[in-house]
Amino acid sequence: MAVLAASASASEAPVATAPAIAASVDLAITGLRSEKGNILVCLSTDPDYFPDCTKDKKARKLKIPATNAESIKIAGVKPGTYAVALIHDENANGKMDLRLFLPREGFGFSRNPKIGMGPPKFKSAQFTLGADDVHYAVRMKYIL
């Protein structure tokens, strides 16, 4: 009777993998003028789609009821360079409403950049996320 010996070659040996590194982006929202509607959150790595990330397929998008928006946690975010844009969608229609090219609803950004003519650039709102969680206070702003 023949005995077959099983041996694992190096290519068949189990491969040890490092645990996936992910952290959280925690946002403390201040300055909401009402608890109506939703807060639309966009976490993006692509300057070409910032701050309007509706066409950014890789962005993390959240819709949070304004009544629960004092603190927002985006969990499981891989290390990288990001920026966050927020819209206070008061009428819950899923978009920023404009009047004569001015926002009728509130908005905010990571790092609270100064707002001039038009939205801020990605670079002014960007932050780097590593293995540790990051915490930002975001002040909502209203023009109309």
Side-chain angles (χ1 to χ4, degrees):
M1 178 172 192
V3 176
L4 297 175
S7 65
S9 68
S11 63
E12 296 172 346
V15 177
T17 57
I21 297 173
S24 294
V25 177
D26 299 319
L27 305 170
I29 310 302
T30 61
L32 285 175
R33 72 176 169 194
S34 75
E35 291 187 342
K36 295 179 185 174
N38 300 306
I39 303 300
L40 306 178
V41 181
C42 170
L43 175 69
S44 180
T45 61
D46 193 336
D48 293 335
Y49 292 110
F50 183 82
D52 179 9
C53 73
T54 53
K55 295 179 183 176
D56 185 352
K57 294 177 182 174
K58 294 181 182 178
R60 295 271 301 267
K61 301 168 193 162
L62 303 171
K63 179 170 70 172
I64 310 292
T67 55
N68 299 333
E70 291 176 354
S71 179
I72 298 172
K73 182 177 191 127
I74 307 169
V77 182
K78 294 180 182 176
T81 301
Y82 295 90
V84 174
L86 301 148
I87 296 172
H88 183 189
D89 180 21
E90 289 181 282
N91 62 1
N93 68 349
K95 64 180 184 172
M96 168 66 82
D97 293 321
L98 303 174
R99 183 174 191 181
L100 299 174
F101 304 105
L102 295 174
R104 293 182 65 191
E105 298 176 299
F107 55 88
F109 305 97
S110 48
R111 297 186 50 214
N112 297 303
K114 290 184 181 181
I115 305 298
M117 297 301 283
K121 300 288 184 201
F122 182 89
K123 189 168 187 157
S124 65
Q126 80 179 21
F127 59 91
T128 301
L129 181 69
D132 296 325
D133 297 347
V134 295
H135 307 275
Y136 284 102
V138 177
R139 283 185 317 276
M140 298 301 290
K141 297 178 181 176
Y142 297 85
I143 294 177
L144 297 176

